[in-house]
Amino acid sequence: MTGTLENCLVFDGPLVHSCSRNQITTHERALVVVENGKITKVVENVTGDVKEHLGSGKYQMKKLEKGQFLCPGFVDLHTHAPQFPNQGLGMDMPLLDWLQTYTFPLEMKYEDEGFAEKVYKNVVKSTLKSGTTTACYFGTIHRKSTTRLAQAVSRMGQRGLVGKVNMNQNSNGKYVEKTEDSMKETLNFIQDVSELNNPLVEPVITPRFAISCSMDLLKELGKLAASGNYYIQTHISENKAEVEFTKEVFPDQPNYAEVYNVSGLLTNKTILGHGIYLSDEEQKVIASKGTAVAHCPNSNTWLKSGICDVRKLWSNNVKVGLGTDIGAGSVSSIIDAMRSALAVSINKSFYSSEDYKPLTYPEVFFLATLGGAEALNKQESIGNFMVGKDFDALLIDTEWQNRPDMNAPTFTMTDHSLIERVQKLIYSGDDRNIAEVYVCGRLVSSRNISSK
Ligand SMILES: [Zn+2]
């Protein structure tokens, strides 16, 4: 702690977080001291009077109730803000048909900034309510509307990486840009985001996917990303037809990953959505660049894209986190992404050799928190409750049904252990379990108040 405890917030209660991939660390009672948005002290396994650990001074105490615990905020590495109105639509189609039928027609509507404003405000509100403290958002090709998204993220206090989509070919003939305009508007968008003057909101270079961009455009974007050390996000190897089409569009490149590699788009600040059909050779190139994969199991199931083998990515040293991928994914919650990751991995195990071990719940919890932070190279500032990191946290309530204000059917209180409560969150939880959401120490969403 720095000097006095005046104006600092102290949480007193159970704490869970990930310090490694295989294990969830739990403390039955801990004190977490937050000053100016940062964690300045953590006292583990507290007994006795709080003052014995904190000394005298003024501080605001937040005592957790029975059934509650602190958990790091969730990181959503891949989602499409403009597609939220289509959530749950066209799930019976394969990727390329779904794009033409549902996605491109909706995204074209974002030419209207007023429409964008209405949707984006609610997108950020809903992802915060779901516990997503850090989100990587795709916008549309429209610069001004995507700036509205960045403004909403900034205003509501989320940590956000926001990208104006680039696409100059293989669209529906209407939803497409000229290369020159695409680059000019991307530069303007970066300027717009810098004018927000908010370190929590960053621009992301966002070629939609290889098919929708010419090699010239990809290379220009690669140069731009290098010039400002900007984040990059795109899709890779999501669907077999898409992989085949990519080969046709880029016949000079030996594989999908190489299309991005020769464009300078594989860096240690790049997030690739999906990565289902990557060969070992491609995975090794991706790992060597420090590039990460966003595993989006819900989307991969509904669009029948395939099953991403997270264990194989890990064995090739590729960093992995989770994405909800709205609107190809049907649920915007990372709790659902954890559950879906477990389900697809278990289903994969039925058809794999005995050597294949399905993902475990500590592993998907890691993917949702510290894994996502590592994928973004932000593990020094977010991902768990180590001293010095920003306080991005969720106050989880596993007994929300028993709160008088929730008007829900109640169950008899049972003395579950802390790790059992974590299981309840992962296997059967949803937004109702998230009582409060903090980003950088600021309360940004609460069950009892509406977002600003
Ligand atoms: Zn996507």
Side-chain angles (χ1 to χ4, degrees):
M1 281 166 286
T2 52
T4 77
L5 286 171
E6 209 161 338
N7 296 325
C8 80
L9 184 57
V10 180
F11 291 83
D12 178 357
L15 176 154
V16 307
H17 63 171
S18 230
C19 297
S20 67
R21 195 187 282 170
N22 305 320
Q23 196 182 338
I24 296 175
T25 302
T26 62
H27 299 292
E28 291 296 333
R29 186 181 171 201
L31 297 175
V32 181
V33 180
V34 181
E35 290 174 279
N36 300 319
K38 288 201 180 298
I39 301 164
T40 53
K41 182 172 184 173
V42 177
V43 185
E44 298 169 354
N45 304 317
V46 176
T47 52
D49 192 351
V50 169
K51 283 204 165 48
E52 286 172 25
H53 302 283
L54 301 179
S56 58
K58 288 183 184 168
Y59 44 84
Q60 189 189 336
M61 285 300 298
K62 176 100 187 168
K63 177 97 176 133
L64 273 58
E65 294 178 39
K66 184 172 183 291
Q68 297 184 335
F69 61 86
L70 275 184
C71 152
F74 298 138
V75 179
D76 188 344
L77 290 179
H78 185 105
T79 195
H80 297 256
Q83 294 176 30
F84 272 62
N86 270 0
Q87 221 168 321
L89 279 184
M91 304 279 91
D92 55 343
M93 290 182 166
L95 173 70
L96 299 180
D97 294 343
W98 170 83
L99 280 171
Q100 294 293 343
T101 309
Y102 285 105
T103 307
F104 292 160
L106 173 62
E107 289 198 12
M108 286 169 70
K109 292 188 181 169
Y110 289 81
E111 196 170 3
D112 176 352
E113 279 182 71
F115 177 73
E117 179 69 33
K118 276 187 209 151
V119 174
Y120 289 155
K121 191 174 66 182
N122 288 321
V123 166
V124 179
K125 194 172 172 179
S126 74
T127 56
L128 279 174
K129 191 163 171 265
S130 304
T132 299
T133 49
T134 299
C136 301
Y137 290 114
F138 282 62
T140 59
I141 64 171
H142 313 99
R143 188 261 293 186
K144 287 185 178 173
S145 286
T146 309
T147 296
R148 297 281 189 128
L149 172 59
Q151 288 166 342
V153 171
S154 178
R155 201 168 56 235
M156 293 193 222
Q158 195 170 38
R159 194 182 297 275
L161 288 78
V162 183
K164 185 208 99 62
V165 167
N166 303 95
M167 48 194 288
N168 68 346
Q169 63 182 21
N170 293 318
S171 177
N172 59 4
K174 294 178 209 152
Y175 184 49
V176 67
E177 309 165 289
K178 292 193 175 111
T179 310
E180 202 182 306
D181 295 338
S182 187
M183 290 308 300
K184 193 174 81 186
E185 286 294 76
T186 303
L187 278 167
N188 288 336
F189 175 70
I190 290 169
Q191 180 60 27
D192 289 348
V193 175
S194 76
E195 285 171 12
L196 293 173
N197 205 19
N198 180 346
L200 297 180
V201 186
E202 297 174 75
V204 197
I205 305 299
T206 306
R208 180 173 214 110
F209 60 167
I211 292 169
S212 67
C213 299
S214 65
M215 185 51 87
D216 283 351
L217 178 56
L218 291 174
K219 285 187 171 170
E220 284 298 311
L221 291 170
K223 271 192 232 160
L224 175 59
S227 73
N229 191 25
Y230 297 120
Y231 277 98
I232 299 164
Q233 62 182 352
T234 187
H235 300 83
I236 194 166
S237 279
E238 177 176 1
N239 162 294
K240 284 180 180 166
E242 171 222 2
V243 174
E244 285 308 308
F245 194 10
T246 304
K247 276 186 196 156
E248 284 173 33
V249 177
F250 300 96
D252 297 341
Q253 300 308 323
N255 56 49
Y256 202 154
E258 207 53 37
V259 175
Y260 293 141
N261 194 21
V262 296
S263 313
L265 290 167
L266 296 184
T267 74
N268 63 3
K269 290 180 84 174
T270 302
I271 304 293
L272 300 171
H274 307 296
I276 296 170
Y277 297 103
L278 294 169
S279 64
D280 279 312
E281 187 189 352
E282 289 177 290
Q283 291 188 14
K284 281 172 185 158
V285 169
I286 288 167
S288 73
K289 301 288 178 178
T291 293
V293 165
H295 176 37
C296 308
N298 177 305
S299 150
N300 297 159
T301 301
W302 296 137
L303 292 189
K304 299 168 196 69
S305 299
I307 294 179
C308 174
D309 187 345
V310 173
R311 292 224 180 277
K312 189 173 164 204
L313 287 165
W314 276 341
S315 72
N316 282 321
N317 295 316
V318 178
K319 294 183 292 182
V320 188
L322 293 175
T324 56
D325 195 24
I326 301 296
S330 62
V331 184
S332 59
S333 159
I334 286 290
I335 298 175
D336 173 82
M338 284 193 275
R339 195 153 51 228
S340 299
L342 285 168
V344 299
S345 182
I346 289 166
N347 287 332
K348 179 175 171 51
S349 73
F350 300 145
Y351 302 98
S352 302
S353 70
E354 282 184 12
D355 295 344
Y356 180 83
K357 296 275 178 279
L359 293 177
T360 62
Y361 75 86
E363 287 172 327
V364 298
F365 185 78
F366 167 84
L367 289 172
T369 55
L370 187 58
E374 288 179 355
L376 291 169
N377 259 324
K378 287 187 183 293
Q379 67 276 9
E380 300 302 320
S381 53
I382 56 169
N384 60 18
F385 293 116
M386 304 303 281
V387 170
K389 293 195 183 188
D390 291 351
F391 185 72
D392 283 18
L394 311 178
L395 199 165
I396 301 293
D397 187 359
T398 53
E399 290 188 8
W400 64 269
Q401 296 98 331
N402 295 317
R403 309 295 171 211
D405 54 336
M406 295 304 283
N407 195 25
T410 55
F411 299 97
T412 308
M413 290 225 195
T414 316
D415 282 330
H416 301 299
S417 69
L418 183 50
I419 197 67
E420 285 172 341
R421 291 183 187 280
V422 177
Q423 291 172 21
K424 281 168 79 75
L425 174 74
I426 294 172
Y427 288 99
S428 70
D430 59 37
D431 293 4
R432 293 168 296 183
N433 292 104
I434 298 175
E436 293 181 354
V437 181
Y438 294 83
V439 176
C440 216
R442 175 181 166 195
L443 179 66
V444 291
S445 180
S446 164
R447 212 161 50 187
N448 301 320
I449 58 163
S450 57
S451 293
K452 302 96 193 156

